[in-house]
Structures are given as C-alpha cells and as structure tokens.
Amino acid sequence: MQNFHDLVGGFHHFRANYFLKEKEFFESLAHSQSPKTLVIACCDSRTDPAIVLGCKPGDLFVVRSVAAIVPPPEKAGEYDAVMAAVEYGVKHLDVDHIVVMGHSNCGGIAGLFNPQAVRKERFTSKWISLACPAVERINEENSQEDLTQRMRLSEEAAVLLSIENLLSYPWIEEAVQAQSLSLHALYYDMREGTLNVWNSEIEDFELATR
Ligand SMILES: [Zn+2]
C-alpha cells in the first residue's frame, strides 16, 4: 500500500472477498457490537492487533496509543482518547478482558533512550515520558546489559506499567477484584514472529504456545 488510491482498491478487495461473501456475518454486526476483549496496542504500522491476533471484525475493541501507554489517573488528560476508549470498553461494552500489547523495535520506547530524536515533537515526547518510570527502572536494574537488551526489557516493562496504571483506576480495580475483568500483558516480537505472555506466577514473559 503506497498511496491513497491503493486504500480504495483495498476496500473493494475487502468488499468483494469478505463483505459480500459473508453477508450474514456482516449483517449481524451492522447494528451492534459485543466484543469480549479490549486491546491497547501501539500505533506502529506493523502491529495491527486484529491481524497479529487473528481476529475478525467485531472481536476486538481497540485503542492504539504510542508505545501502548495508558496514562495513570493523575496524568490522564481532561480530553483523553485512551481513557475514553478504555472507559467505554469496560463500562459500556462490558468487556471480559483487557490486553495490553507491546512489541519489539518500538519507536516510542526508543525515543526515551534518545530524547533528542523526538525533541521537536511536542506531543510525542510528552506522551512517551509517561513510560519513563519503566525505562528508568530497567536502566537501573540492568546497567550491565547492552542498549539493545535494555530497550527490549523496557518495551516489556512499559506494558506492565500500562497494566499497573489501568489498575490504579478504581472502577478497573473493582472489576478485576470481582473477577468480571481480567488484564493480560502481551509482547509481540516481530523479528522472531513470536508472542510472549506475562505469567504472573513466574513474574516473567513466556512464549505463548497453543
Ligand atoms: Zn511501538
């Protein structure tokens, strides 16, 4: 997909190959949605959660933010797109799961290791600073590791920080306590083509198997 016209062509391909061939399915979705899962993913063009997680229209309620960051309550803006989507997903759509999916080679996390690169991007630099606590902790605890490894660990830690921030909203914490909502941390490695899932028992990410 190189230009706008290709997108229109892409739509006609979708219409001919999916929409018209699965009319009943799309008719059932036309008037309402009831996704069971809310996904918070990075804006990165390579990490579309519906494609990576093999989902169909209607399966996922998706919010994408740079580096899949969720702001904590004290830093959420008065007009906050991420929290508006999370609130709608939890309170209105009543999703059962929230998944935060980070990924390898994340430009947002890389920006925290090289602030000069995003110095002129006012909104971007401000936004990624929300993940600073995760990166600072990784740098402190892993000072012997090389930059590539510290970036990788920071990408994972930022996902966990987003989960922690989600839990600092009382209405999310209450839903988790009541077991009507569960939170999941995923890390998609696009070099290896692997998905890692946070396992709270071993306190580490582990390879997702079937
Ligand atoms: Zn990213």
Side-chain angles (χ1 to χ4, degrees):
M1 291 278 176
Q2 292 304 317
N3 57 45
F4 177 71
H5 190 73
D6 292 339
L7 297 178
V8 177
F11 171 73
H12 286 295
H13 180 268
F14 160 77
R15 182 177 151 80
N17 291 284
Y18 296 95
F19 191 83
L20 296 178
K21 282 189 179 164
E22 296 175 49
K23 257 190 155 316
E24 214 172 294
F25 171 68
F26 282 101
E27 262 167 26
S28 74
L29 284 178
H31 302 291
S32 66
Q33 60 169 337
S34 54
K36 298 284 173 237
T37 303
L38 161 64
V39 175
I40 299 159
C42 183
C43 301
D44 193 296
S45 61
R46 304 162 294 179
T47 65
D48 187 318
I51 294 175
V52 172
L53 302 174
C55 291
K56 299 191 299 292
D59 284 346
L60 302 178
F61 192 66
V62 177
V63 56
R64 298 182 74 169
S65 72
V66 173
I69 291 168
V70 174
E74 68 277 12
K75 290 190 176 162
E78 195 181 348
Y79 302 91
D80 194 300
V82 172
M83 290 317 300
V86 172
E87 184 181 61
Y88 191 81
V90 171
K91 293 188 178 179
H92 195 90
L93 296 175
D94 204 18
V95 296
D96 297 333
H97 306 276
I98 298 180
V99 173
V100 181
M101 186 172 81
H103 68 97
S104 60
N105 291 73
C106 181
I109 299 302
L112 288 171
F113 282 85
N114 183 13
Q116 277 300 101
V118 287
R119 176 176 53 89
K120 290 182 184 159
E121 282 99 59
R122 172 189 155 206
F123 293 109
T124 313
S125 53
K126 191 96 178 151
W127 179 256
I128 60 175
S129 75
L130 291 168
C132 267
V135 175
E136 281 167 7
R137 186 176 60 75
I138 292 298
N139 277 331
E140 261 173 44
E141 291 173 3
N142 302 274
S143 54
Q144 77 291 355
E145 299 285 359
D146 66 16
L147 180 63
T148 307
Q149 179 63 3
R150 280 184 287 120
M151 283 171 79
R152 159 79 183 228
L153 292 170
S154 296
E155 287 159 354
E156 294 177 347
V159 173
L160 299 180
L161 180 61
S162 283
I163 296 272
E164 202 179 305
N165 289 344
L166 284 168
L167 283 168
S168 59
Y169 292 84
W171 40 278
I172 295 180
E173 211 263 335
E174 281 162 22
V176 170
Q177 286 298 330
Q179 298 187 328
S180 60
L181 180 67
S182 48
L183 309 186
H184 311 266
L186 295 183
Y187 180 85
Y188 167 53
D189 187 325
M190 67 176 84
R191 286 164 301 196
E192 302 292 327
T194 53
L195 187 71
N196 296 321
V197 186
W198 176 254
N199 180 334
S200 55
E201 281 176 21
I202 60 168
E203 297 202 335
D204 204 356
F205 281 90
E206 61 181 4
L207 196 63
T209 51
R210 279 178 183 275

